[in-house]
Amino acid sequence: MRYSRILLKLSGAAVAGHSEFGFDPTALNFIADEVLRLHEAGTEVGVVIGGGNIFRGNLGTQWGIEHAEADNIGMMATVINSLMLRGVLASRGKAEVRVMTAIPINTVAEPFIRLRAIHHMEKGYIVIFAAGTGQPFMTTDYPAVQRAIEVRAQALLAAKSGTDGIYTADPNRDATAQRFVCVNYDTVVRNNLRAMDQSAVILARDHGLRLHVFNFDQPGAMRRVCEGEDVGTLITNCPEDVLVVDQRASAAGLLPVSQP
Ligand code: UDP
């Protein structure tokens, strides 16, 4: 295995399936399958899940709710999703699963204590980090990178739906669109490639955390990333960006692109 400890970042949308809001049991079971597939292979897994299937802070401001208050609601949404995920994962009886939260809710989840989180992971427990940073004015991208660095994960796996990675253009509309196989953090920031929030990419860059952007819809994709396959897009400090015309063309060779 290339990675023995990773952090998976899921959007709240991942638990909603084809709906915009709420929960879909099929989607929840799919996530459980994918996480347990990795766990069974011996990789230590941490998870950060967003709250967009319930509430995002920027929606609250449209409704006239003060931004900081709306973000508190959003953070609580991530707690609900984390507990839901723990419930589904634990029901399989294959792994011990803990939720650690940045906002104290002592009767339902443990507080986030960094060394305790690492200890859980060393014991093979799946750890779900809830409530983001506990602070407003950000999404869960930043705390996902932060927790990954804190627990010494070797990579963050950013799960996407309906896309195989980062492209130069929308591959559904532009046949010449190229997928980045490997892209430098600075290219992502400079060109505002919308894989993750910029603040999260910069934090990852400053601490050398590898970011994999990949299609979570494909069963086994996450495990293949950890086994070392070139799945999706890797954001790292690669000396030059590497592009491929499309999936089918990848066998024909990669097209190196110099840094501007
Ligand atoms: N949030 C926050 N601080 C954090 C993490 C999240 O205030 O450290 C709030 C913010 O309002 C955000 C919401 O929680 O919109 C839900 O998270 P996110 O938008 O990342 O959910 P996703 O889009 O990934 O489902």
Coordinates of all heavy atoms in Angstrom, one line a residue, residues 12-77:
G12 N -21.4 16.7 2.1 CA -22.6 16.3 2.6 C -23.5 15.6 1.5 O -24.2 14.7 1.7
A13 N -23.3 16.1 0.3 CA -24.1 15.6 -0.9 C -23.9 14.1 -1.0 O -24.7 13.4 -1.6 CB -23.7 16.3 -2.2
A14 N -22.7 13.6 -0.6 CA -22.4 12.1 -0.7 C -23.4 11.3 0.0 O -23.6 10.1 -0.4 CB -21.0 11.9 -0.3
V15 N -24.0 11.8 1.1 CA -25.0 10.9 1.8 C -26.4 11.2 1.3 O -27.3 10.5 1.8 CB -24.9 11.1 3.3 CG1 -23.6 10.6 3.9 CG2 -25.1 12.6 3.7
A16 N -26.6 12.1 0.4 CA -27.9 12.5 -0.1 C -28.3 11.7 -1.3 O -29.4 11.7 -1.8 CB -28.1 13.9 -0.3
G17 N -27.3 11.0 -1.9 CA -27.6 10.3 -3.2 C -28.0 11.2 -4.3 O -27.5 12.2 -4.5
H18 N -29.1 10.8 -4.9 CA -29.6 11.6 -6.0 C -30.5 12.8 -5.6 O -30.9 13.7 -6.4 CB -30.4 10.8 -7.0 CG -29.6 9.7 -7.7 ND1 -28.5 10.0 -8.5 CD2 -29.6 8.4 -7.6 CE1 -27.9 8.9 -8.9 NE2 -28.5 7.9 -8.3
S19 N -30.8 12.9 -4.3 CA -31.6 14.0 -3.8 C -30.6 15.1 -3.5 O -29.4 14.9 -3.3 CB -32.3 13.6 -2.5 OG -32.8 12.3 -2.6
E20 N -31.2 16.3 -3.3 CA -30.3 17.5 -3.0 C -30.1 17.5 -1.4 O -29.1 18.0 -0.9 CB -31.0 18.8 -3.5 CG -30.0 19.9 -3.6 CD -30.7 21.1 -4.2 OE1 -31.7 21.0 -4.9 OE2 -30.1 22.2 -4.0
F21 N -31.2 17.1 -0.7 CA -31.2 17.2 0.7 C -31.4 15.8 1.4 O -31.9 14.9 0.8 CB -32.2 18.2 1.2 CG -32.0 19.6 0.8 CD1 -32.7 20.1 -0.2 CD2 -30.9 20.3 1.3 CE1 -32.5 21.4 -0.7 CE2 -30.7 21.6 0.9 CZ -31.4 22.2 -0.1
G22 N -31.0 15.8 2.6 CA -31.3 14.6 3.5 C -30.4 13.4 3.2 O -29.2 13.6 2.9
F23 N -31.0 12.2 3.4 CA -30.1 11.0 3.4 C -30.7 10.0 2.5 O -31.9 9.9 2.4 CB -30.1 10.4 4.9 CG -29.4 11.4 5.8 CD1 -30.2 12.2 6.6 CD2 -28.0 11.4 5.9 CE1 -29.6 13.1 7.5 CE2 -27.4 12.3 6.8 CZ -28.2 13.1 7.6
D24 N -29.8 9.2 1.9 CA -30.2 8.1 1.0 C -29.5 6.9 1.5 O -28.3 6.8 1.6 CB -29.8 8.5 -0.4 CG -30.1 7.3 -1.3 OD1 -31.1 6.6 -1.2 OD2 -29.2 7.0 -2.2
P25 N -30.3 5.9 2.0 CA -29.6 4.7 2.6 C -28.7 4.0 1.6 O -27.7 3.4 2.0 CB -30.8 3.8 2.9 CG -32.1 4.5 2.6 CD -31.8 5.8 2.0
T26 N -29.0 4.0 0.3 CA -28.1 3.4 -0.7 C -26.8 4.1 -0.7 O -25.7 3.5 -0.7 CB -28.8 3.4 -2.1 OG1 -30.1 2.9 -2.0 CG2 -28.0 2.6 -3.1
A27 N -26.8 5.4 -0.7 CA -25.6 6.2 -0.7 C -24.8 6.0 0.6 O -23.6 5.8 0.5 CB -25.9 7.7 -0.9
L28 N -25.5 5.9 1.7 CA -24.8 5.7 3.0 C -24.1 4.3 3.0 O -23.0 4.1 3.4 CB -25.8 5.7 4.1 CG -26.2 7.2 4.6 CD1 -27.4 7.2 5.4 CD2 -25.0 7.8 5.4
N29 N -24.8 3.3 2.4 CA -24.2 2.0 2.4 C -23.1 1.9 1.4 O -22.1 1.2 1.7 CB -25.3 0.9 2.0 CG -26.2 0.5 3.2 OD1 -25.6 0.2 4.3 ND2 -27.5 0.5 3.1
F30 N -23.1 2.6 0.4 CA -22.0 2.7 -0.6 C -20.8 3.3 0.1 O -19.7 2.7 0.0 CB -22.4 3.5 -1.8 CG -21.3 3.7 -2.8 CD1 -20.9 2.6 -3.6 CD2 -20.5 4.8 -2.9 CE1 -19.9 2.7 -4.6 CE2 -19.5 4.9 -3.8 CZ -19.2 3.9 -4.6
I31 N -21.0 4.4 0.9 CA -19.8 5.0 1.6 C -19.3 4.0 2.6 O -18.0 3.8 2.7 CB -20.3 6.2 2.3 CG1 -20.7 7.3 1.3 CG2 -19.2 6.8 3.2 CD1 -21.4 8.5 2.0
A32 N -20.1 3.3 3.3 CA -19.7 2.3 4.3 C -18.9 1.2 3.6 O -17.8 0.8 4.1 CB -20.9 1.7 5.0
D33 N -19.4 0.7 2.4 CA -18.6 -0.3 1.7 C -17.2 0.2 1.3 O -16.2 -0.5 1.5 CB -19.3 -0.6 0.4 CG -20.6 -1.5 0.6 OD1 -20.7 -2.0 1.7 OD2 -21.4 -1.5 -0.3
E34 N -17.1 1.4 0.8 CA -15.9 1.9 0.3 C -14.9 2.1 1.5 O -13.7 1.8 1.4 CB -16.1 3.3 -0.4 CG -16.8 3.1 -1.7 CD -16.0 2.2 -2.7 OE1 -15.0 2.6 -3.1 OE2 -16.5 1.1 -3.0
V35 N -15.4 2.7 2.6 CA -14.5 2.9 3.7 C -14.0 1.6 4.3 O -12.9 1.4 4.6 CB -15.2 3.8 4.8 CG1 -14.5 3.8 6.1 CG2 -15.5 5.2 4.3
L36 N -15.0 0.6 4.4 CA -14.6 -0.7 5.0 C -13.6 -1.4 4.1 O -12.8 -2.2 4.6 CB -15.8 -1.5 5.3 CG -16.6 -0.9 6.5 CD1 -18.0 -1.6 6.7 CD2 -15.8 -1.0 7.8
R37 N -13.8 -1.3 2.8 CA -12.9 -1.9 1.8 C -11.5 -1.5 2.1 O -10.5 -2.3 2.0 CB -13.3 -1.5 0.4 CG -12.9 -2.3 -0.7 CD -13.0 -1.6 -2.0 NE -14.4 -1.4 -2.5 CZ -14.9 -2.1 -3.5 NH1 -14.3 -3.0 -4.1 NH2 -16.2 -1.8 -3.8
L38 N -11.3 -0.2 2.4 CA -10.0 0.3 2.7 C -9.5 -0.1 4.0 O -8.3 -0.5 4.2 CB -10.1 1.9 2.6 CG -8.8 2.6 2.4 CD1 -8.1 2.2 1.1 CD2 -9.1 4.1 2.3
H39 N -10.4 -0.1 5.0 CA -10.0 -0.5 6.4 C -9.6 -2.0 6.4 O -8.6 -2.3 7.0 CB -11.3 -0.3 7.2 CG -11.1 -0.7 8.7 ND1 -11.5 -1.9 9.2 CD2 -10.5 -0.1 9.7 CE1 -11.2 -2.0 10.4 NE2 -10.6 -0.9 10.8
E40 N -10.3 -2.8 5.6 CA -10.0 -4.2 5.6 C -8.6 -4.4 4.9 O -7.9 -5.4 5.2 CB -11.0 -5.0 4.7 CG -12.2 -5.3 5.6 CD -13.5 -5.6 4.7 OE1 -13.3 -5.9 3.5 OE2 -14.6 -5.5 5.3
A41 N -8.2 -3.5 4.1 CA -6.8 -3.6 3.4 C -5.7 -3.2 4.4 O -4.6 -3.2 4.0 CB -6.8 -2.8 2.2
G42 N -6.1 -2.7 5.6 CA -5.1 -2.3 6.6 C -4.8 -0.8 6.6 O -3.9 -0.4 7.3
T43 N -5.5 0.0 5.8 CA -5.2 1.4 5.9 C -6.0 2.1 7.0 O -7.2 1.8 7.2 CB -5.7 2.1 4.5 OG1 -4.9 1.4 3.5 CG2 -5.4 3.5 4.5
E44 N -5.4 2.9 7.7 CA -6.1 3.6 8.8 C -6.8 4.8 8.2 O -6.3 5.5 7.4 CB -5.0 4.2 9.8 CG -4.3 3.0 10.6 CD -3.1 3.5 11.4 OE1 -3.0 4.7 11.6 OE2 -2.4 2.6 11.8
V45 N -8.1 4.9 8.6 CA -9.0 5.9 7.9 C -9.6 6.9 8.9 O -10.2 6.5 9.9 CB -10.2 5.1 7.2 CG1 -11.0 6.1 6.4 CG2 -9.7 4.0 6.3
G46 N -9.4 8.2 8.5 CA -10.1 9.3 9.2 C -11.1 9.8 8.1 O -10.9 9.7 6.9
V47 N -12.2 10.4 8.6 CA -13.2 11.0 7.7 C -13.6 12.4 8.2 O -13.8 12.6 9.3 CB -14.5 10.1 7.6 CG1 -15.5 10.6 6.6 CG2 -14.1 8.6 7.3
V48 N -13.7 13.3 7.2 CA -14.4 14.6 7.5 C -15.5 14.6 6.5 O -15.3 14.5 5.3 CB -13.5 15.8 7.3 CG1 -14.2 17.1 7.2 CG2 -12.4 15.8 8.4
I49 N -16.7 14.9 7.0 CA -17.9 15.0 6.1 C -18.5 16.4 6.2 O -18.6 16.9 7.3 CB -18.9 13.9 6.3 CG1 -20.1 14.0 5.3 CG2 -19.4 13.8 7.7 CD1 -20.9 12.8 5.1
G50 N -18.9 17.0 5.1 CA -19.5 18.3 5.1 C -21.0 18.2 5.6 O -21.4 17.2 6.1
G51 N -21.7 19.3 5.4 CA -23.1 19.4 5.9 C -24.1 19.9 4.8 O -25.2 20.1 5.2
G52 N -23.6 20.0 3.6 CA -24.4 20.6 2.5 C -25.8 20.0 2.2 O -26.6 20.6 1.7
N53 N -25.9 18.7 2.6 CA -27.2 18.0 2.4 C -28.2 18.5 3.4 O -29.4 18.2 3.3 CB -27.0 16.5 2.5 CG -26.5 16.1 3.8 OD1 -25.5 16.7 4.3 ND2 -27.1 15.1 4.5
I54 N -27.8 19.2 4.4 CA -28.7 19.7 5.5 C -28.6 21.3 5.5 O -29.7 21.9 5.3 CB -28.2 19.2 6.9 CG1 -28.3 17.7 6.9 CG2 -29.1 19.8 8.0 CD1 -27.7 17.1 8.2
F55 N -27.5 21.8 5.6 CA -27.4 23.3 5.6 C -25.9 23.8 5.4 O -25.0 23.2 5.9 CB -27.8 23.8 7.0 CG -28.1 25.3 7.0 CD1 -29.3 25.8 6.5 CD2 -27.2 26.2 7.5 CE1 -29.6 27.1 6.5 CE2 -27.5 27.5 7.6 CZ -28.7 28.0 7.1
R56 N -25.8 24.9 4.6 CA -24.5 25.5 4.4 C -24.6 27.0 4.9 O -25.7 27.6 4.7 CB -24.1 25.6 3.0 CG -23.6 24.3 2.4 CD -22.8 24.4 1.1 NE -22.5 23.1 0.5 CZ -23.3 22.5 -0.4 NH1 -24.4 23.1 -0.8 NH2 -23.0 21.3 -0.8
G57 N -23.6 27.5 5.5 CA -23.7 28.8 6.1 C -24.1 29.9 5.1 O -24.8 30.8 5.4
N58 N -23.6 29.8 3.8 CA -23.9 30.9 2.9 C -25.4 30.9 2.5 O -25.9 32.0 2.1 CB -23.0 30.8 1.6 CG -23.1 29.4 0.9 OD1 -24.0 28.6 1.3 ND2 -22.3 29.2 0.0
L59 N -26.1 29.9 2.8 CA -27.6 29.9 2.5 C -28.2 30.8 3.6 O -29.2 31.5 3.3 CB -28.1 28.5 2.6 CG -29.5 28.2 2.2 CD1 -29.8 28.6 0.7 CD2 -29.9 26.7 2.4
G60 N -27.7 30.7 4.8 CA -28.3 31.4 5.9 C -28.3 32.9 5.7 O -29.2 33.6 6.0
T61 N -27.1 33.4 5.1 CA -27.0 34.8 4.9 C -28.1 35.3 3.9 O -28.6 36.4 4.1 CB -25.6 35.2 4.4 OG1 -25.3 34.4 3.3 CG2 -24.6 34.9 5.5
Q62 N -28.4 34.4 3.0 CA -29.5 34.8 2.0 C -30.9 34.9 2.8 O -31.7 35.6 2.3 CB -29.7 33.7 0.9 CG -28.6 33.7 -0.1 CD -28.6 32.4 -1.0 OE1 -29.7 31.9 -1.2 NE2 -27.5 32.0 -1.4
W63 N -31.0 34.2 3.8 CA -32.2 34.3 4.6 C -32.2 35.3 5.7 O -33.1 35.4 6.5 CB -32.5 32.9 5.3 CG -32.7 31.8 4.3 CD1 -32.8 31.8 3.0 CD2 -32.8 30.4 4.7 NE1 -32.9 30.5 2.5 CE2 -33.0 29.6 3.5 CE3 -32.8 29.7 5.9 CZ2 -33.1 28.3 3.5 CZ3 -32.9 28.3 5.9 CH2 -33.1 27.6 4.7
G64 N -31.1 36.1 5.7 CA -31.0 37.2 6.7 C -30.5 36.7 8.1 O -30.5 37.5 9.0
I65 N -29.9 35.5 8.1 CA -29.3 35.0 9.4 C -27.9 35.5 9.4 O -27.2 35.4 8.4 CB -29.4 33.5 9.4 CG1 -30.8 33.0 9.3 CG2 -28.7 33.0 10.7 CD1 -31.0 31.5 9.2
E66 N -27.4 36.0 10.5 CA -26.1 36.4 10.6 C -25.1 35.3 10.3 O -25.3 34.1 10.6 CB -25.8 36.9 12.1 CG -24.6 37.8 12.2 CD -24.5 38.3 13.7 OE1 -25.4 38.0 14.5 OE2 -23.5 38.9 14.0
H67 N -24.0 35.7 9.5 CA -23.1 34.7 8.9 C -22.6 33.7 10.0 O -22.6 32.5 9.8 CB -22.0 35.3 8.2 CG -21.3 34.4 7.2 ND1 -20.7 34.9 6.0 CD2 -21.2 33.1 7.2 CE1 -20.2 33.8 5.4 NE2 -20.5 32.7 6.0
A68 N -22.1 34.2 11.1 CA -21.5 33.4 12.1 C -22.5 32.4 12.7 O -22.2 31.2 12.9 CB -20.9 34.2 13.2
E69 N -23.7 32.9 12.8 CA -24.8 32.0 13.3 C -25.1 30.9 12.3 O -25.3 29.7 12.6 CB -26.0 32.8 13.6 CG -27.2 32.1 14.2 CD -27.0 31.8 15.7 OE1 -25.9 32.0 16.2 OE2 -27.9 31.2 16.3
A70 N -25.2 31.3 11.0 CA -25.5 30.3 10.0 C -24.4 29.3 9.9 O -24.7 28.1 9.7 CB -25.6 31.1 8.6
D71 N -23.2 29.7 10.1 CA -22.1 28.7 10.1 C -22.2 27.8 11.3 O -21.8 26.6 11.1 CB -20.7 29.4 10.1 CG -20.3 29.9 8.7 OD1 -20.9 29.5 7.7 OD2 -19.5 30.8 8.6
N72 N -22.6 28.2 12.4 CA -22.8 27.3 13.5 C -23.8 26.2 13.1 O -23.7 25.1 13.5 CB -23.4 28.1 14.7 CG -22.2 28.8 15.5 OD1 -21.1 28.5 15.3 ND2 -22.6 29.8 16.2
I73 N -24.9 26.7 12.4 CA -25.9 25.7 12.0 C -25.3 24.7 11.0 O -25.5 23.5 11.1 CB -27.1 26.4 11.4 CG1 -27.7 27.4 12.3 CG2 -28.1 25.4 10.9 CD1 -28.7 28.4 11.7
G74 N -24.4 25.2 10.1 CA -23.7 24.3 9.2 C -22.8 23.3 9.9 O -22.8 22.2 9.5
M75 N -22.1 23.8 10.9 CA -21.3 22.9 11.7 C -22.1 21.8 12.4 O -21.6 20.7 12.4 CB -20.4 23.7 12.6 CG -19.2 24.4 12.0 SD -18.1 25.1 13.2 CE -18.9 26.7 13.5
M76 N -23.2 22.2 12.9 CA -24.1 21.2 13.5 C -24.5 20.1 12.5 O -24.7 19.0 12.8 CB -25.3 21.8 14.2 CG -24.9 22.8 15.4 SD -23.7 22.1 16.5 CE -24.7 20.8 17.3
A77 N -24.7 20.6 11.2 CA -25.1 19.7 10.2 C -24.0 18.6 10.0 O -24.3 17.4 9.7 CB -25.4 20.4 8.9

